[in-house]
Amino acid sequence: MKANPVFSLYIPTKLIFGCGEIKKLSSEKLPGKKALVVISSGTSMRKYGYLEKVLAQLRLNHVETLVYDKILPNPIKEHVMEAAGICREEKCDFVVGLGGGSSIDSAKSIAVMACNDGDYWDYVSGGSGKGRPVSKALPIIAIPTTAGTGTEMDPWTVITHETAQEKIGFGCQLTFPTLSIVDPELMVSIPPHLTAYQGFDAFFHAAEGFIANCATPISDLYALEAIRLIYKYLPVAVADGKNLKARAKIAWASTLAGMVEATSSCTSEHSLEHAMSAYYPQLPHGAGLIALSEAYFETFRHDCTKRYMKMAEVMTQKKSNRSSDFIDALITLQKECKVHPVKLSEFGIQPEDFPKFLQNARDTMGGLFTLDPRPITDEEILHVFEKSYK
Amino acid sequence: MKANPVFSLYIPTKLIFGCGEIKKLSSEKLPGKKALVVISSGTSMRKYGYLEKVLAQLRLNHVETLVYDKILPNPIKEHVMEAAGICREEKCDFVVGLGGGSSIDSAKSIAVMACNDGDYWDYVSGGSGKGRPVSKALPIIAIPTTAGTGTEMDPWTVITHETAQEKIGFGCQLTFPTLSIVDPELMVSIPPHLTAYQGFDAFFHAAEGFIANCATPISDLYALEAIRLIYKYLPVAVADGKNLKARAKIAWASTLAGMVEATSSCTSEHSLEHAMSAYYPQLPHGAGLIALSEAYFETFRHDCTKRYMKMAEVMTQKKSNRSSDFIDALITLQKECKVHPVKLSEFGIQPEDFPKFLQNARDTMGGLFTLDPRPITDEEILHVFEKSYK
């Protein structure tokens, strides 16, 4: 980052944050009278009563609702297209994404396809996407029940094209949620290992955004605070999911890391992980990132020494004088969160897959490679996969 | 602030920041084809070529412009009403505020009155204002040439009603600028004493916002970074106005402090200062705040000890163990910026004025008193004025 940086800041989303704040859904001015509520195909939104809570608040606000409940953990284009069709037929005014990143990202993409003709991949950039401009979308409301993606405060949505085996991020000004409600009380039911995976996703949004060559004074502020909070509170939230203070701190850190995504960017670690889960949809995104992380961050350790030391300092609250302090702190955090080591072999990934991952990452999310601290070579990438394997 | 705070964040303004970034005005998508450009009645916008620069960039963007150049340092309602009339007659699509807070605040109020009937004071809350709701306003573009008010990233506008002797802050979602361009190169011409006054205005936005009882995790992040930057770079910018690095750091700190205003609030120090300059328009806002500050912050020193220590720590970069460290650092900063002491008597203010100031502050901006760390008594307020007098 330059001494006199040039940067911009634009996050038009209204964020409402706090325990119990889901109730505000009944009193906020909403962008219409009929909503499609998008949730995952899993059972948790109903089991824990979150869906009923949201539907009840919307009813109090005189909003008619429909529920689309087919979203997969790695959400797919087919569901985006199907739900967008429902939005059109049923004349929905806005889309509510309730759940993890998959449901909220899907809600964003559904909001786009409810207003634009053709196929979703006509609008995606990268891979076989055609990159058509998007000029309108339905308003989006995001209600996360996980703390990891930060999608509630950024414009990004990541959808998988199954037949093309492409998992690509997309976003524009119209895919910022209009309103996001982050209520940590909706997060107490997440089991420990998922709490850790999701928390590390947020951590890497912040850490990658901090070493990205497009980092700015505002993204740095968000990133360092997210990193500090995750280091301090993620082990607590993993150990005791009912600890509302820790849940709230991690929820806020994740939202801050989303604001890093909106003002800086992920780097190629995310491209590599997306490629892996395009082929292995059962690989949780956070687990893939954790597996890659030690070797990935080792790659750039000598390229942004001061930034590694700064991250180490906010984590350990001790003066750092070498960049490896950050790697050490990262491993400490993984151990404290019971996710060390995570190895790619655990998820059925084979070394033969590595060249294919590399190619897919460069093809579908090549843009992020230009934001790394310096260009990473193919050889280095293969080395990262190998180190992360077993 | 509570352990599990409930808060919201909404700053829909698009910010473009950096040296030379004024050029983006020619390529950004603007909200229309005809603009009223609002500047002060002083000579600097023309003398330093800032007005011509802005008009040229707007022309390149195919925008027709009119200039309104009567705004006073403490801007008045009459000018808001006159310029709003011009907007209507000339069918302007948007309003550009170019200059210090007075021009940008006026642009906001003009944008409101260009779309609403009656008098501006019909919409203001407090004093003799009638508090009518505002449902529309023209889009606003803010281009600050001073680093102090932060108005480019908050919804607030402070206008004086001369005959009623009321200086009142007003704002709503519609008075956030649509676009703000902060170009530190437009700030190099500010003389040292004004650089200091304006920088301290920003400092107090951050410091008051940090001790306000409505402070939140996001306003704290903005506030501490603004305080850190101002302590480090304001003496440099005062000593050498051509130092672009220092100008950029202070410009960014001021913008951050505006974001504190949008997410927390000033406290009653600002009410007291507004009352003084409602009666003594020649008193620069920043000078008034500096004069009040030592006694004002002394008042709450035992009410938020930890927050005073935290501010002292980001200023001095040393561990603090007593709240008076903040007051000491504040005085050090004032001395380094050659604005210590500033006394009310220098501006013709008389001790007989104090009860009138007190009453005016409570009447016109009473709301801020409810946000102080604890309720301040009339006796304490009079004591602050007395200590600041001579």
Side-chain angles (χ1 to χ4, degrees):
Chain A
M1 222 192 55
K2 293 169 194 132
N4 275 339
V6 158
F7 63 98
S8 67
L9 165 61
Y10 178 64
I11 305 180
T13 304
K14 177 169 181 180
L15 170 72
I16 295 179
F17 185 100
C19 291
E21 286 295 270
I22 191 66
K23 67 173 183 290
K24 290 273 172 73
L25 198 56
S26 64
S27 55
E28 279 291 305
K29 190 171 154 36
L30 299 180
K33 289 288 165 206
K34 191 168 183 180
L36 183 73
V37 179
V38 178
I39 63 172
S40 84
S41 62
T43 56
S44 57
M45 291 305 109
R46 288 194 171 89
K47 183 165 90 183
Y48 298 112
Y50 302 154
L51 176 64
E52 190 36 53
K53 222 174 234 187
V54 164
L55 296 180
Q57 298 298 322
L58 287 170
R59 275 195 297 271
L60 285 171
N61 212 333
H62 311 292
V63 173
E64 192 186 335
T65 53
L66 291 169
V67 175
Y68 183 85
D69 61 359
K70 297 188 185 171
I71 304 301
L72 301 175
N74 274 306
I76 59 173
K77 180 173 79 70
E78 282 63 30
H79 292 153
V80 168
M81 294 306 298
E82 183 179 61
I86 297 172
C87 274
R88 286 173 197 236
E89 278 162 36
E90 299 285 342
K91 300 195 174 21
C92 292
D93 300 313
F94 62 101
V95 186
V96 178
L98 168 66
S102 56
S103 299
I104 297 171
D105 284 11
S106 296
K108 291 179 177 181
S109 300
I110 292 163
V112 168
M113 291 318 295
C115 301
N116 291 278
D117 54 19
D119 187 78
Y120 180 63
W121 234 245
D122 294 344
Y123 300 92
V124 164
S125 293
S128 59
K130 298 206 183 91
R132 279 176 62 185
V134 171
S135 59
K136 52 191 173 170
L138 292 184
I140 299 147
I141 294 181
I143 305 173
T145 62
T146 67
T149 71
T151 189
E152 67 275 11
M153 283 302 265
D154 75 35
W156 311 115
T157 156
V158 181
I159 300 293
T160 294
H161 186 314
E162 284 190 303
T163 50
Q165 281 179 315
E166 293 172 345
K167 179 179 176 180
I168 304 188
F170 165 82
C172 62
Q173 294 202 355
L174 294 165
T175 48
F176 275 107
T178 302
L179 172 67
S180 289
I181 302 182
V182 179
D183 184 340
E185 288 182 4
L186 306 186
M187 299 170 185
V188 292
S189 53
I190 307 165
H193 73 291
L194 292 183
T195 299
Y197 289 167
Q198 292 156 8
F200 269 97
D201 186 18
F203 181 89
F204 293 122
H205 292 155
E208 293 175 37
F210 189 68
I211 67 164
N213 61 29
C214 59
T216 71
I218 189 69
S219 65
D220 288 351
L221 201 57
Y222 298 147
L224 290 174
E225 180 69 355
I227 289 168
R228 183 184 75 79
L229 289 169
I230 292 169
Y231 190 83
K232 186 165 177 187
Y233 293 104
L234 189 58
V236 184
V238 169
D240 175 14
K242 302 279 175 235
N243 183 321
L244 264 180
K245 182 181 171 185
R247 288 286 187 196
K249 296 286 187 187
I250 294 302
W252 173 228
S254 171
T255 298
L256 276 168
M259 292 160 74
V260 176
E261 292 299 285
T263 51
S264 174
S265 175
C266 288
T267 57
S268 65
E269 185 184 26
H270 263 73
S271 306
L272 302 180
E273 199 297 312
H274 282 192
M276 297 195 303
S277 51
Y279 289 96
Y280 291 86
Q282 74 279 22
L283 171 68
H285 177 54
L289 291 170
I290 293 169
L292 296 173
S293 62
E294 183 173 357
Y296 179 82
F297 280 95
E298 186 61 37
T299 310
F300 299 113
R301 185 160 72 77
H302 302 292
D303 301 297
C304 34
T305 325
K306 278 191 187 163
R307 292 203 155 233
Y308 275 52
M309 282 159 32
K310 189 73 201 166
M311 289 193 287
E313 286 179 357
V314 298
M315 291 166 86
T316 63
Q317 298 287 315
K318 282 181 206 144
K319 198 83 194 149
S320 166
N321 51 21
R322 30 177 217 168
S323 55
S324 61
D325 289 343
F326 169 66
I327 315 270
D328 294 344
L330 175 63
I331 300 307
T332 301
L333 179 61
Q334 291 177 2
K335 286 180 178 161
E336 287 180 356
C337 294
K338 319 283 184 221
V339 286
H340 187 271
V342 171
K343 291 295 180 184
L344 298 179
S345 55
E346 300 167 33
F347 298 90
I349 290 172
Q350 301 296 326
E352 306 86 273
D353 295 322
F354 298 162
K356 182 167 81 177
F357 291 163
L358 187 163
Q359 197 57 48
N360 182 291
R362 293 237 190 243
D363 287 347
T364 59
M365 292 188 68
L368 300 191
F369 289 90
T370 69
L371 304 175
D372 279 331
R374 65 160 171 82
I376 187 170
T377 65
D378 286 353
E379 203 179 346
E380 287 175 317
I381 292 172
L382 292 173
H383 179 74
V384 167
F385 285 130
E386 278 151 25
K387 282 279 187 185
S388 314
Y389 175 60
K390 214 165 189 171
Chain B
M1 220 191 57
K2 293 170 195 134
N4 276 338
V6 160
F7 63 98
S8 67
L9 164 61
Y10 178 65
I11 305 181
T13 304
K14 176 169 182 182
L15 170 72
I16 295 179
F17 185 98
C19 290
E21 287 294 272
I22 190 68
K23 67 174 184 289
K24 292 272 171 71
L25 200 54
S26 63
S27 55
E28 279 291 306
K29 191 170 154 32
L30 299 180
K33 289 288 166 205
K34 192 168 183 181
L36 184 73
V37 179
V38 178
I39 62 172
S40 84
S41 62
T43 56
S44 56
M45 291 303 110
R46 288 194 171 90
K47 184 165 91 183
Y48 298 112
Y50 303 154
L51 177 63
E52 191 35 55
K53 220 173 234 183
V54 164
L55 296 180
Q57 299 298 323
L58 288 170
R59 275 195 298 270
L60 285 171
N61 212 334
H62 312 291
V63 172
E64 192 186 335
T65 53
L66 290 168
V67 175
Y68 183 85
D69 62 358
K70 298 187 184 171
I71 303 302
L72 301 175
N74 275 305
I76 59 173
K77 179 173 79 72
E78 283 63 31
H79 292 152
V80 167
M81 295 305 297
E82 182 180 60
I86 296 172
C87 275
R88 287 172 195 234
E89 277 162 37
E90 299 285 342
K91 300 193 172 25
C92 292
D93 299 312
F94 62 101
V95 186
V96 178
L98 168 67
S102 57
S103 299
I104 297 172
D105 283 12
S106 295
K108 291 178 177 181
S109 301
I110 291 163
V112 168
M113 292 318 296
C115 301
N116 291 279
D117 54 18
D119 187 78
Y120 179 63
W121 234 245
D122 293 345
Y123 300 92
V124 164
S125 292
S128 60
K130 299 206 181 91
R132 279 176 61 185
V134 171
S135 58
K136 52 191 173 169
L138 292 184
I140 299 147
I141 294 182
I143 305 173
T145 62
T146 67
T149 70
T151 188
E152 66 275 12
M153 284 301 266
D154 75 35
W156 311 115
T157 157
V158 181
I159 300 293
T160 295
H161 186 315
E162 284 191 302
T163 48
Q165 282 179 313
E166 293 173 342
K167 180 180 176 180
I168 304 187
F170 165 82
C172 61
Q173 294 202 355
L174 295 165
T175 49
F176 275 107
T178 303
L179 172 68
S180 289
I181 302 183
V182 179
D183 185 340
E185 288 182 4
L186 306 186
M187 298 171 185
V188 292
S189 54
I190 306 164
H193 73 290
L194 291 183
T195 299
Y197 289 168
Q198 292 157 8
F200 269 98
D201 187 17
F203 181 90
F204 294 122
H205 292 155
E208 293 173 37
F210 190 68
I211 67 165
N213 61 30
C214 58
T216 70
I218 189 68
S219 66
D220 287 351
L221 201 56
Y222 297 146
L224 290 174
E225 180 70 353
I227 289 168
R228 184 184 76 78
L229 289 169
I230 292 169
Y231 189 82
K232 185 165 179 189
Y233 292 104
L234 189 59
V236 184
V238 169
D240 175 13
K242 303 279 175 234
N243 184 321
L244 264 180
K245 182 180 170 184
R247 287 287 188 195
K249 297 286 187 188
I250 295 303
W252 174 229
S254 171
T255 298
L256 276 169
M259 292 159 75
V260 176
E261 292 301 283
T263 51
S264 174
S265 175
C266 287
T267 57
S268 65
E269 185 184 26
H270 263 72
S271 306
L272 301 180
E273 199 299 312
H274 283 191
M276 296 195 302
S277 51
Y279 288 98
Y280 291 86
Q282 73 279 21
L283 171 67
H285 177 53
L289 292 170
I290 293 168
L292 296 173
S293 61
E294 184 174 356
Y296 179 82
F297 281 95
E298 187 60 38
T299 310
F300 299 112
R301 186 160 73 77
H302 302 290
D303 301 298
C304 33
T305 324
K306 279 192 187 164
R307 293 204 153 232
Y308 275 51
M309 282 161 31
K310 189 75 201 167
M311 289 192 286
E313 287 179 357
V314 299
M315 291 166 87
T316 62
Q317 299 288 314
K318 282 180 207 143
K319 198 84 196 149
S320 165
N321 52 22
R322 29 176 218 170
S323 55
S324 61
D325 290 342
F326 169 66
I327 314 272
D328 294 345
L330 175 65
I331 299 306
T332 301
L333 179 61
Q334 291 177 1
K335 285 179 179 162
E336 288 181 355
C337 294
K338 319 283 185 222
V339 286
H340 186 270
V342 172
K343 291 295 180 184
L344 299 179
S345 54
E346 300 167 34
F347 297 89
I349 290 172
Q350 301 296 327
E352 305 85 274
D353 295 321
F354 299 162
K356 180 167 83 176
F357 291 164
L358 188 164
Q359 196 57 47
N360 182 293
R362 294 239 189 240
D363 288 347
T364 60
M365 292 187 69
L368 301 190
F369 290 91
T370 67
L371 305 176
D372 280 330
R374 64 160 172 81
I376 186 171
T377 65
D378 287 352
E379 201 178 347
E380 286 175 317
I381 292 172
L382 293 173
H383 178 75
V384 168
F385 284 131
E386 278 151 26
K387 282 278 185 186
S388 315
Y389 175 61
K390 212 164 191 173

